[in-house]
């Protein structure tokens, strides 16, 4: 059995990695084509900017990549983890914003010694995100409410609730449009000297650790096994004596904790970003979906795809120097996701013919 | 009484786009293809429709311009949804993944084109399409005030689409075959139904309706388009599920949501609600909370098409 698993790793795992790379190549090619159509004289410089955007201004740019990657890695993990249990978690914007609010609230109001303080804030963000996501989980387990629709509803409720609480709980700035600066920032341990003015902090290392933890939880523990069985076939799981209700609620709660942590890490970064009181769903929440999909919902893969997406987004910021619209990057990302949907299905067709079992 | 009429008229502005887009989703999902791309298709259709509207509205009669914009929005949505159909029907891709790709593509594309041709991403237009009073029908007591004053032509298109799709889905051979493809494609295939063709038609119909729905959402609620439709595509998805994949229940679900939304935005004009004095945030949250509560009581028996989300391969058992 162990040998079989190893063989699987060397065939399907490598193939899915290769198909993701092919999708990325096609997406970048589409980006180059758009640059050529918009303004052919600058296309080469523009394309070079997309490719080396994360290093365009040396370490500072890469610091920006790490700073932007952290929240979308967390929301990507939130999507991927729920997806492993067969749940379509589209509720990250709500979980993210509730986590962000609780982190800021805790940072302003908790008085703990400094090294513990940011950890307490992140824990507050995780706990609130978990509670927020547990609602759709419970509704699904108890009343069979479709999680897509309850997550969409919880997104809006979370957004309006956070806006209301920011106003009510005295964490409003003088101009009454942003939250106040957090009382504590995520430590950088000297990273600010390497990545000057970028907002990079140890959040990125925490996200890597959490990604590995998620992978371990799913691959190495009985709980993770039960979760995946639930995801593949809820009825079979029930028949095999797995408590599928507990699986659903736990998977959603863990996903919510991850998305909430993403909110905490973004707003506790010392980068001058504060929550605004506007009726718009948090884009970092939705951005977790392509991050997870590009990684085929593999937690370790999510870490790298999050860095990749942040990397080309930073390239997009610099693209404006040549007169290009930065939205070109989102077109590139959409082409990548589209191609990865095609390539993974074509890959699956190939492997089904070879008789490889489902990913369990 | 005037408040009641005002509320009814407002409700339509929220209800009709939800209704049309959810019916679009119904065609796709009933054929067996999950369509999370409704939001993206709405944005794409609204962009093409509103951009055309801003150019034609000075030269032709106003209602005709709106009808033309709806048609352009619908056709562009149909073309855009073909990307979803090719990937999910012919190439058997994961329907959620390629739907997500379309959702990311549409707003980026709209901003990119808008900024390329006119340097700013906003597309402005004049909202001159409200019909103060429909001749004859507007004079009918009560009903006239409810439906035929301060209305848009889109309201009637919405109800016409609802009626037509009910007939198509339940009273025609095509509808029966389409639903069969969403329930048990192998059985349909064995009886000679072309599952791929049916699924293509379902997705393309959803593209047409969602593209049109994008224009319908933007026109009464705004005077400019900025590459977003306020999450209405996702809400339409919610309405589709809330309506248990049935046209009449979708109508009820979208009316319910539209009414709650109207209460949330107009609570200060309603003496009873204004007197309670709750913060405005509560009213804004209310439609979503109410929907969740309603779902708790209606979800026990889900009627989702059985084969939705599963690619079909010919010869599959």
């Amino acid at each position: 059995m162990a040998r079989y698993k190893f063989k699987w790793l060397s065939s399907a795992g490598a193939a899915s990695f290769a198909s993701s790379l092919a999708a990325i190549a096609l997406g970048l090619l589409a980006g180059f084509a758009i640059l050529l159509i918009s303004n052919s004289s600058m296309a080469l410089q523009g394309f070079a900017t997309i490719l080396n955007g994360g290093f365009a201004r040396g370490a500072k740019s890469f610091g920006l990549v790490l700073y932007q990657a952290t929240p979308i890695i967390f929301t990507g993990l939130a999507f991927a983890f729920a997806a492993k249990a067969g749940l379509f978690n589209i509720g990250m914007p709500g979980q993210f914003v509730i986590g962000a609010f609780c982190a800021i609230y805790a940072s302003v109001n908790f008085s703990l010694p400094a090294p513990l303080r940011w950890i307490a804030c992140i824990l507050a963000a995780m706990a609130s995100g978990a509670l927020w996501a547990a609602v759709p989980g419970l509704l699904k387990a108890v009343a069979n409410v479709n999680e897509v629709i309850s997550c969409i509803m919880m997104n809006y409720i979370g957004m309006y609730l956070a806006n209301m609480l920011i106003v009510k709980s005295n964490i409003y700035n003088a101009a009454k449009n942003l939250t106040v600066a957090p009382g504590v920032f995520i430590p950088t341990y000297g990273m600010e000297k390497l990545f000057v003015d970028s907002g990079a902090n140890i959040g990125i290392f925490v996200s890597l650790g959490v990604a590995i933890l998620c992978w371990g939880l799913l691959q190495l523990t009985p709980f993770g096994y039960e979760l995946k069985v639930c995801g593949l076939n809820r009825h079979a799981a029930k028949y095999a004596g797995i408590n599928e209700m507990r699986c659903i609620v736990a998977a959603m709660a863990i996903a919510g904790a991850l998305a909430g942590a993403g909110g905490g890490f973004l707003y506790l970064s010392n980068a001058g970003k504060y929550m605004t009181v506007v009726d718009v769903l948090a884009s970092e929440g939705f951005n977790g979906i392509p991050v997870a999909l590009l990684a085929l919902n593999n937690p370790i893969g999510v870490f790298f795809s999050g860095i990749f997406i942040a990397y080309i987004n930073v390239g997009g910021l610099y693209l404006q120097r040549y007169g290009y619209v930065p939205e070109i990057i989102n077109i590139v990302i959409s082409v990548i996701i589209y191609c990865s949907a095609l390539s993974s299905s074509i890959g699956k067709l190939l492997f089904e013919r070879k008789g490889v079992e489902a990913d369990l | 009484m005037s408040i009641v009429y005002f509320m009814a008229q407002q409700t339509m502005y929220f209800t009709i786009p939800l209704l049309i887009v959810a019916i679009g989703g119904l065609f796709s999902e009933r054929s067996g293809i999950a369509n999370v791309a409704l939001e993206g298709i709405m944005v794409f259709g609204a962009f093409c429709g509103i951009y055309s509207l801003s150019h034609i509205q000075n030269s032709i009669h106003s209602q005709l311009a709106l009808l033309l914009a709806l048609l352009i929005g619908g056709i562009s949505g149909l073309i855009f949804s073909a990307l979803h159909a090719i990937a999910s029907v012919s190439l058997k891709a994961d329907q959620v993944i390629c739907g997500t790709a379309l959702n990311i593509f549409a707003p980026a594309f709209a901003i990119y084109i808008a900024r390329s041709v006119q340097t700013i991403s906003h597309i402005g237009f004049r909202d001159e399409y409200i019909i103060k009073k429909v001749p004859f029908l507007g004079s009918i007591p009560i009903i006239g005030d409810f439906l035929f004053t301060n209305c848009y032509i889109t309201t009637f298109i919405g109800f016409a689409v609802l009626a037509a799709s009910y007939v198509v889905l339940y009273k025609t051979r095509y509808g029966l075959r389409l639903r069969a493809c969403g329930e048990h494609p192998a059985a349909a295939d064995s009886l000679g139904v072309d599952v791929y063709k049916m699924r293509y038609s379902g997705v393309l119909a959803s593209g047409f309706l969602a593209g049109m729905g994008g224009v319908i959402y933007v026109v009464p609620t705004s005077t400019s388009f900025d590459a977003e439709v306020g999450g209405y595509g996702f809400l339409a998805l919610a309405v589709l599920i809330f309506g248990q994949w049935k046209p009449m229940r979708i109508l009820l679900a979208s009316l319910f949501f539209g009414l709650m939304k109207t209460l949330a935005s107009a609570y200060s004009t309603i003496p009873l609600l204004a007197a309670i004095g709750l913060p405005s945030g509560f009213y804004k949250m209310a439609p979503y909370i109410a929907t969740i509560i309603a779902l708790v009581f209606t979800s026990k028996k889900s009627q989702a098409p059985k084969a939705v989300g599963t690619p079909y391969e010919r010869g599959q058992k």
Side-chain angles (χ1 to χ4, degrees):
Chain A
M1 203 61 203
R3 245 181 70 202
Y4 189 71
K5 203 161 189 184
F6 181 73
K7 224 168 92 186
W8 177 84
L9 263 179
S10 61
S11 58
S16 64
F17 183 65
S19 70
S20 291
L21 285 185
I24 288 170
L26 282 171
L28 290 173
L29 210 63
F32 186 55
I34 294 166
L35 294 179
L36 271 176
I37 295 164
S38 338
N39 180 3
S40 53
S41 63
M42 287 289 187
L44 276 177
Q45 284 102 315
F47 193 59
T49 307
I50 295 180
L51 288 185
N52 72 6
F55 298 109
R57 291 189 189 161
K60 184 192 165 173
S61 305
F62 199 68
L64 203 57
V65 171
L66 298 181
Y67 162 71
Q68 290 197 1
T70 308
I72 57 175
I73 289 171
F74 276 107
T75 50
L77 287 172
F79 183 87
F81 198 88
K84 285 285 182 192
L87 298 162
F88 185 51
N89 180 14
I90 198 172
M92 284 105 67
Q95 297 146 18
F96 179 90
V97 81
I98 289 294
F101 167 79
C102 288
I104 296 175
Y105 185 83
S107 81
V108 175
N109 291 296
F110 286 7
S111 48
L112 279 168
L116 289 176
R117 208 161 151 202
W118 72 269
I119 297 174
C121 295
I122 294 296
L123 288 178
M126 290 178 77
S128 56
L131 274 178
W132 203 253
V135 173
L138 268 174
L139 291 175
K140 168 118 184 165
V142 175
N144 195 32
V145 175
N146 186 307
E147 79 277 11
V148 175
I149 160 167
S150 54
C151 279
I152 292 172
M153 298 299 137
M154 291 301 280
N155 281 344
Y156 287 94
I157 300 170
M159 171 183 81
Y160 290 125
L161 183 67
N163 285 348
M164 215 163 80
L165 290 176
I166 289 169
V167 176
K168 287 222 161 227
S169 61
N170 255 342
I171 55 167
Y172 222 8
N173 71 354
K176 294 212 175 290
N177 54 0
L178 301 171
T179 47
V180 294
V184 59
F185 295 112
I186 305 293
T188 53
Y189 294 123
M191 285 172 79
E192 80 280 6
K193 295 195 187 83
L194 184 57
F195 307 111
V196 185
D197 285 339
S198 66
N201 56 49
I202 62 159
I204 191 73
F205 299 110
V206 179
S207 75
L208 177 62
V210 171
I212 294 171
L213 269 179
C214 286
W215 179 85
L217 187 63
L218 285 166
Q219 296 303 119
L220 307 174
T221 68
F223 170 70
Y225 183 81
E226 289 185 1
L227 216 88
K228 285 184 293 175
V229 173
C230 266
L232 289 172
N233 190 333
R234 208 179 142 182
H235 304 292
K238 195 175 179 183
Y239 185 72
I242 293 170
N243 186 342
E244 24 99 62
M245 291 198 179
R246 198 193 65 169
C247 273
I248 290 169
V249 179
M252 278 309 288
I254 292 171
L258 292 165
F265 276 108
L266 180 64
Y267 289 100
L268 297 188
S269 299
N270 190 1
K273 187 166 172 72
Y274 308 114
M275 284 177 86
T276 44
V277 182
V278 287
D279 291 354
V280 177
L281 293 176
S283 62
E284 291 85 356
F286 283 127
N287 289 345
I289 301 178
V291 169
L293 294 178
L294 184 59
L296 303 172
N297 294 332
N298 177 324
I300 311 271
V302 166
F303 176 78
F304 292 105
S305 71
I307 289 193
F308 169 74
I309 293 209
Y311 183 95
I312 60 168
N313 265 320
V314 170
L317 293 179
Y318 296 129
L319 207 53
Q320 295 177 87
R321 264 192 301 192
Y322 300 103
Y324 288 113
V325 183
E327 267 70 24
I328 289 176
I329 295 302
N330 273 341
I331 298 183
V332 170
I333 293 173
S334 69
V335 175
I336 292 174
I337 299 300
Y338 190 78
C339 292
S340 76
L342 298 186
S343 59
S344 71
S345 80
I346 290 166
K348 207 193 281 168
L349 287 178
L350 288 175
F351 286 109
E352 267 168 13
R353 227 158 271 166
K354 283 183 189 169
V356 174
E357 282 178 356
D359 174 14
L360 196 67
Chain B
M1 228 21 210
S2 66
I3 290 177
V4 177
Y5 296 141
F6 171 74
M7 299 268 300
Q9 292 150 9
Q10 286 286 314
T11 301
M12 286 304 149
Y13 305 160
F14 294 115
T15 296
I16 296 299
L18 282 177
L19 174 69
I20 288 207
V21 179
I23 296 249
L26 178 73
F27 274 95
S28 175
E29 303 227 332
R30 272 302 177 104
S31 79
I33 303 293
N35 198 346
V36 294
L38 292 175
E39 175 88 3
I41 300 171
M42 272 183 91
V43 169
F44 194 86
F47 169 70
C48 297
I50 298 293
Y51 186 72
S52 313
L53 186 66
S54 70
H55 280 77
I56 57 178
Q57 71 176 175
N58 290 324
S59 40
I60 50 177
H61 179 263
S62 67
Q63 296 299 335
L64 198 65
L66 179 59
L67 284 176
L68 213 58
L70 289 173
L71 193 66
I72 292 170
I75 290 171
S76 50
L78 183 144
I79 295 169
F80 188 50
S81 71
L83 287 172
H84 189 52
I86 294 168
S88 49
V89 182
S90 299
L91 299 172
K92 302 174 188 71
D94 186 307
Q95 294 157 19
V96 170
I97 301 182
C98 66
T100 305
L102 264 62
N103 283 341
I104 302 169
F105 180 85
F109 177 81
I111 293 175
Y112 165 72
I113 296 288
R115 282 184 54 176
S116 299
V117 295
Q118 57 170 33
T119 70
I120 53 160
S121 60
H122 281 270
I123 301 168
F125 63 96
R126 271 176 290 110
D127 180 12
E128 53 192 11
Y129 307 105
I130 195 161
I131 303 169
K132 287 268 170 265
K133 195 168 189 177
V134 179
F136 309 116
L137 295 171
S139 315
I140 304 171
I142 303 178
I143 298 174
D145 287 316
F146 263 115
L147 281 175
F148 299 108
T149 45
N150 292 330
C151 58
Y152 284 82
I153 201 163
T154 53
T155 302
F156 312 116
I157 294 175
F159 284 109
V161 164
L162 173 72
S165 51
Y166 181 83
V167 172
V168 167
L169 277 174
Y170 291 101
K171 305 286 172 202
T172 68
R173 203 158 53 176
Y174 166 78
L176 182 66
R177 290 177 173 177
L178 188 84
R179 286 183 289 133
C181 292
E183 293 297 329
H184 201 311
D189 196 0
S190 73
L191 295 171
V193 177
D194 188 337
V195 176
Y196 290 1
K197 212 191 254 174
M198 282 292 149
R199 289 190 163 184
Y200 262 96
S201 73
V203 176
L204 295 180
S206 80
F208 185 83
L209 292 175
M212 206 162 79
V215 180
I216 292 176
Y217 166 74
V218 175
V219 168
T221 52
S222 175
T223 54
S224 75
F225 174 70
D226 196 17
E228 55 99 20
V229 290
Y232 262 56
F234 288 118
L235 289 176
L237 197 64
V239 164
L240 171 66
I241 301 169
F242 190 11
Q244 291 290 319
W245 293 268
K246 290 194 175 75
M248 289 306 157
R249 291 187 66 164
I250 289 173
L251 171 69
L252 289 181
S254 48
L255 274 174
F256 172 80
F257 199 81
L259 182 66
M260 294 307 292
K261 204 72 181 144
T262 305
L263 282 175
S265 62
Y267 73 94
S268 56
T269 60
I270 303 161
L272 192 68
L273 290 178
I276 305 172
L278 286 170
S280 69
F282 278 109
Y283 294 101
K284 287 180 176 174
M285 284 190 270
Y288 307 97
I289 297 174
T291 305
I292 288 189
I293 293 171
L295 279 167
V296 169
F297 294 104
T298 55
S299 297
K300 205 64 204 171
K301 274 199 162 170
S302 174
Q303 314 269 320
K306 289 215 169 49
V308 75
T310 331
Y312 177 69
E313 191 166 9
R314 277 201 182 103
Q316 182 182 297
K317 295 277 150 50

